[in-house]
Amino acid sequence: MRPRHLIMMSLGSAIGAGLFVGSGEGIAAAGPAVLVSYAIAGLIVIAVMRMLGEMVAADPNPGAFSYYVGKALGPSSAFAVGWLWWITLCLVVAAEATAAAQIMAGLVPLFDQWVYALAFMVLFTWINLWGVKNFGEFEFWFSFIKVAFVFLFLALGVAFLLGWTPAESPGLTHLTESSFMPNGLGGVAAGLLVVIFAFGGIEIVAVAAAETAEPQKSIKAATRTILWRILLFYMGSVGIMVLALPWDDPALVESPFVAVLNQAGLPALAAIIGLIIVAALLSSLNANVYGASRMFYSLAQRGMAPRRLGTLNERAVPTAGVWMSVAFGFVAVGLNYFWAEEVLDLLLNIVGSTLIVTWLSAIVSHLILRTRAERAGEKLPLTMWLFPYLSWATLVGLVAIIVLGFTVADVRGQLLATFGLFVALLIAGRIATRRGAQVEDHVVSSPKRTGVDTQRGTLPAEHDDTD
């Protein structure tokens, strides 16, 4: 991939169902004070991505956080983090194909939901088998569509508030005539639990960086854009929503972007939001197939999955990884045929809160690896701000969110399920290593930089005696 692919992917990864749908739920929970929730969550995400960026710039690897936690804590932790993330992405792929099919069946009812789901799975499996450059190009344009729409929404929202659209502007009345924090600090906390999960997916940039032409330059550029994209895309969009409509308007929960555009007297534009959401879901599906296949490939290369499945074809694509990663998506097509209405809720409940484990592993790995690098006198190409204070503060903030999550029944169930699965995988990883599995961390990087032998379909490995 080219640097522009990674940069646009980093922009687009922040724009998905969490913004188009979840933002309304956050407003309902916290009122206008949801902006505080987004600010707190955004600061945590910015810090986590900077830490990941530091590790990626120093040592790009498609195993990303699994690879780094292996260097920091040993192979059983790498096994657990890698497999947990891969399993989750496989479920997310199925959920996104189902959600996109559900919307398309409503917008264009020419085919049954399962037919759309099958078409999406076939298309994006083919794109990912075609080669990383082509994947990057498709993802570039998908992300471009999402970014362009959000920019358009922001411009139209400002125009509405200034009285430049057909509808009468509310000015600042929805903010000044109601409490900024109508549900108190509890509402802000509830909003935080809603919005923190909206940022799931941006960590895939750490996986993709290993296959860019200039990984250090690309990851630096991508992490630099995180600050303004969160401020602009999320806080800008949500700010317009709470100014355009009363915070407790039911329309915001149903579809916040549609509600604002309708309120602004622009129903024609509101009608296309369904297609934009489909594009957002398909973009995420595309990226998650890519991320899952690379994580599976990295696990196989490190002896944490069958090694015979860790090979590349002549286009340097881990074909076995792609097929393994889409398998459940095709199973979900059959589930859509029999139980179209129930499939999506089931999948979303299973996915749970894996990103919390991913971010925790990234922070802990960063603290350990950065400390080792400083002791060894290594000069890193990209560094975390205010180390170690900001890193520790981010860890404390994330742990506080986990503790907060245990006070809410639905979130508590997801957290318990996620941590339970992680512990089971940790035990499985320990058993695998005790049975003599090859657990050395290999440098699994871009074929262009490591000289991949495409006839054998493997990457040369480099020993790392960590553990």
Side-chain angles (χ1 to χ4, degrees):
M1 288 188 286
R2 307 304 304 169
R4 67 180 177 89
H5 294 146
L6 188 69
I7 292 171
M8 184 58 77
M9 190 186 302
S10 71
L11 289 171
S13 62
I15 305 172
L19 176 60
F20 288 120
V21 180
S23 52
E25 296 176 0
I27 294 171
V34 73
L35 291 170
V36 177
S37 303
Y38 273 107
I40 295 171
L43 289 173
I44 290 174
V45 172
I46 289 167
V48 170
M49 288 305 297
R50 183 72 179 193
M51 287 183 251
L52 263 177
E54 177 184 302
M55 294 184 287
V56 171
D59 188 7
N61 189 283
F65 19 86
S66 168
Y67 173 73
Y68 303 130
V69 81
K71 292 177 68 176
L73 297 174
S76 57
S77 297
F79 182 99
V81 170
W83 277 108
L84 179 65
W85 196 71
W86 181 81
I87 290 169
T88 300
L89 254 61
C90 291
L91 293 171
V92 169
V93 164
E96 285 162 344
T98 298
Q102 197 173 75
I103 295 171
M104 280 300 295
L107 293 174
V108 188
L110 297 177
F111 306 102
D112 291 338
Q113 181 175 314
W114 73 270
V115 177
Y116 282 111
L118 177 61
F120 294 148
M121 287 305 306
V122 170
L123 173 63
F124 291 101
T125 300
W126 172 70
I127 287 173
N128 277 271
L129 289 171
W130 196 10
V132 69
K133 182 178 179 181
N134 296 298
F135 156 79
E137 200 64 32
F138 270 92
E139 193 58 27
F140 176 90
W141 289 108
F142 268 122
S143 296
F144 179 83
I145 291 171
K146 293 189 291 183
V147 170
F149 177 80
V150 172
F151 272 115
L152 176 62
F153 174 80
L154 293 171
L156 292 173
V158 171
F160 169 51
L161 296 173
L162 293 175
W164 296 347
T165 64
E168 183 179 351
S169 170
L172 300 177
T173 57
H174 294 314
L175 192 61
T176 58
E177 294 180 0
S178 66
S179 172
F180 178 74
M181 199 179 292
N183 295 324
L185 289 174
V188 175
L192 182 58
L193 290 174
V194 173
V195 303
I196 191 69
F197 295 104
F199 295 105
I202 65 171
E203 70 278 358
I204 204 166
V205 174
V207 175
E211 287 190 272
T212 56
E214 302 172 80
Q216 291 184 349
K217 176 182 176 182
S218 300
I219 198 66
K220 286 181 182 180
T223 53
R224 278 198 300 266
T225 65
I226 289 172
L227 177 60
W228 69 263
R229 83 185 183 202
I230 287 176
L231 290 174
L232 183 63
F233 292 162
Y234 276 87
M235 299 191 71
S237 297
V238 174
I240 286 173
M241 292 171 193
V242 297
L243 289 172
L245 290 160
W247 68 270
D248 54 355
D249 192 319
L252 283 175
V253 178
E254 293 177 13
S255 185
F257 282 77
V258 171
V260 171
L261 293 173
N262 280 330
Q263 187 73 11
L266 301 168
L269 285 173
I272 69 170
I273 189 65
L275 294 176
I276 300 298
I277 294 175
V278 169
L281 288 166
L282 295 182
S283 171
S284 297
L285 190 160
N286 191 34
N288 286 329
V289 171
Y290 169 83
S293 65
R294 268 52 181 186
M295 180 60 73
F296 187 89
Y297 168 74
S298 175
L299 289 168
Q301 282 284 300
R302 289 178 285 151
M304 298 176 186
R307 280 192 175 276
R308 64 182 178 277
L309 299 180
T311 58
L312 304 169
N313 65 12
E314 65 279 1
R315 293 185 298 277
V317 174
T319 51
V322 172
W323 284 114
M324 291 293 292
S325 301
V326 299
F328 186 72
F330 283 101
V331 171
V333 171
L335 298 178
N336 273 275
Y337 179 80
F338 292 105
W339 303 288
E341 297 300 322
E342 294 83 6
V343 173
L344 185 58
D345 289 341
L346 175 64
L347 290 172
L348 291 177
N349 286 332
I350 292 174
V351 168
S353 48
T354 303
L355 71 92
I356 294 291
V357 175
T358 301
W359 292 356
L360 279 174
S361 71
I363 296 171
V364 172
S365 301
H366 160 75
L367 284 166
I368 294 172
L369 297 179
R370 173 68 177 271
T371 301
R372 287 180 188 170
E374 291 193 345
R375 287 175 180 170
E378 297 178 22
K379 186 175 181 181
L380 300 171
L382 181 69
T383 56
M384 174 61 179
W385 309 293
L386 300 175
F387 179 82
Y389 309 107
L390 186 54
S391 300
W392 279 107
T394 304
L395 180 60
V396 170
L398 194 55
V399 170
I401 290 174
I402 294 172
V403 172
L404 182 64
F406 275 104
T407 66
V408 180
D410 291 343
V411 179
R412 180 169 61 247
Q414 288 190 356
L415 288 170
L416 287 172
T418 298
F419 290 137
L421 178 57
F422 177 76
V423 170
L425 289 170
L426 199 62
I427 294 171
R430 177 60 64 184
I431 292 172
T433 59
R434 285 181 175 176
R435 288 181 177 177
Q438 175 65 33
V439 296
E440 298 156 343
D441 281 310
H442 296 296
V443 175
V444 185
S445 192
S446 168
K448 179 180 289 187
R449 296 194 307 278
T450 57
V452 62
D453 181 350
T454 55
Q455 297 303 313
R456 294 173 56 238
T458 57
L459 292 171
E462 193 172 301
H463 179 70
D464 178 11
D465 58 5
T466 299
D467 189 22

